[in-house]
Amino acid sequence: MKYLILSDIHSNVEALTAVLRRVQRKRFDRVIILGDVVGYGADPNLTVDKVRRLKRSIIIRGNHDKVCSGLENGEMFNKVALESARWTEDKLLPRHRKWLASLPKGPVRVGEWISISHGTPLDEDAYIFGEIEALNMFNYFDTRVCFFGHSHFPVLFGLDREALTTHIPHTNGGTYRLKLREDSRYLINPGSIGQPRDGDRRASFGIFDDQRMTMTILRVSYPYERTQEKIRAAGLPAPLADRLALGR
Ligand SMILES: [Fe+2]
């Protein structure tokens, strides 16, 4: 089976459109979405519309989906995140807000090989940044692979009997591929579509092939200036627009 892995879209419809256009001629058996469909960007309704139209999809909620749909009050959010969540909650169509509030909490198991979580398999709101967090989290899922999001940073952690190996996907040419080893388990973040934070402003996403056991991370350019204009025109906090140019 081939899985398209999308995470942290954050109401960025231009980035999502570019990603879906890039993969339109590929065949996918399932689409996995690791949460944070909304929050930050100026197009929550268009983005939710597009996501809901994806066929054979499995979606879990992210922390922004919870706050923007009124499930949580966002007391842990910083000022910029909270302001955008309030704005999003106000703009969301009731049917989309209801749909977001109904999304399942991770971790969720997908088939034989895969677990999915927004933050960590233990806590949907916690981050995996480095090797110490990653190593600990291998105890909290029992599949070969666990996909996660939340940090907006594409990374692959592989664990065999001896050691943990960190793979930072180098995607200068737009594509990075890793053949997964038989003797290893993996924690994989495909990066963020709508708010990348690894210094590369292109949308980041993944493709997992469980026949070949390959994981591919891809980057796609999109007209981010247009997204910035919309964020500014909506009166959303300026840093949300500024950081799109930098990918930070
Ligand atoms: Fe996020």
Side-chain angles (χ1 to χ4, degrees):
M1 291 241 268
K2 267 190 161 183
Y3 299 84
L4 178 61
I5 321 282
L6 313 177
S7 193
D8 295 277
I9 301 165
H10 282 292
S11 297
N12 185 337
V13 78
E14 287 78 23
L16 178 60
T17 302
V19 167
L20 296 177
R21 196 169 292 150
R22 171 83 167 76
V23 298
Q24 67 185 349
R25 258 174 269 144
K26 296 181 195 283
R27 284 183 180 275
F28 295 100
D29 302 291
R30 307 302 284 272
V31 181
I32 289 174
I33 299 169
L34 303 168
D36 280 1
V37 174
V38 297
Y40 294 147
D43 281 314
N45 290 307
L46 286 177
T47 304
V48 172
D49 255 339
K50 242 182 178 8
V51 166
R52 291 183 72 173
R53 269 189 269 124
L54 292 171
K55 295 194 176 82
R56 297 184 297 282
S57 62
I58 301 156
I59 311 180
I60 53 170
R61 68 190 191 186
N63 52 325
H64 286 258
D65 302 323
K66 286 192 287 184
V67 178
C68 294
S69 65
L71 281 181
E72 282 184 3
N73 62 14
E75 59 189 358
M76 304 292 281
F77 272 22
N78 63 37
K79 199 167 164 280
V80 166
L82 191 59
E83 207 177 314
S84 80
R86 293 280 164 266
W87 182 92
T88 303
E89 188 177 4
D90 189 50
K91 288 285 181 287
L92 274 170
L93 295 171
R95 63 190 168 91
H96 286 340
R97 197 162 52 226
K98 223 170 138 186
W99 177 80
L100 284 163
S102 74
L103 291 177
K105 173 187 179 178
V108 166
R109 201 182 165 120
V110 182
E112 188 182 352
W113 304 109
I114 303 170
S115 303
I116 60 174
S117 60
H118 180 65
T120 77
L122 183 62
D123 178 352
E124 61 183 345
D125 296 332
Y127 290 92
I128 299 175
F129 282 117
E131 294 192 336
I132 292 174
E133 295 111 335
L135 190 57
N136 187 27
M137 284 308 132
F138 275 98
N139 296 315
Y140 295 97
F141 66 98
D142 57 7
T143 47
R144 278 286 299 282
V145 179
C146 178
F147 293 109
F148 68 99
H150 195 36
S151 68
H152 298 206
F153 203 98
V155 64
L156 303 88
F157 298 102
L159 182 70
D160 64 16
R161 280 177 194 209
E162 312 263 295
L164 181 82
T165 309
T166 302
H167 307 268
I168 305 287
H170 299 291
T171 44
N172 289 343
T175 305
Y176 166 91
R177 181 165 297 141
L178 185 74
K179 170 103 178 120
L180 304 191
R181 284 171 40 173
E182 196 76 13
D183 64 350
S184 297
R185 295 167 65 226
Y186 292 87
L187 267 164
I188 300 173
N189 187 330
S192 167
I193 290 184
Q195 280 274 337
R197 290 192 193 143
D198 62 333
D200 183 340
R201 68 179 171 226
R202 295 173 299 174
S204 186
F205 67 102
I207 295 171
F208 175 60
D209 183 330
D210 73 357
Q211 301 281 297
R212 295 190 174 131
M213 273 294 169
T214 53
M215 182 68 205
T216 310
I217 306 281
L218 298 101
R219 302 301 286 244
V220 173
S221 299
Y222 70 95
Y224 70 91
E225 296 97 332
R226 199 171 142 67
T227 316
Q228 289 182 308
E229 274 168 31
K230 287 183 181 175
I231 288 173
R232 289 178 185 129
L236 283 160
L240 293 173
D242 299 342
R243 62 194 311 176
L244 287 178
L246 307 168
R248 287 197 191 282

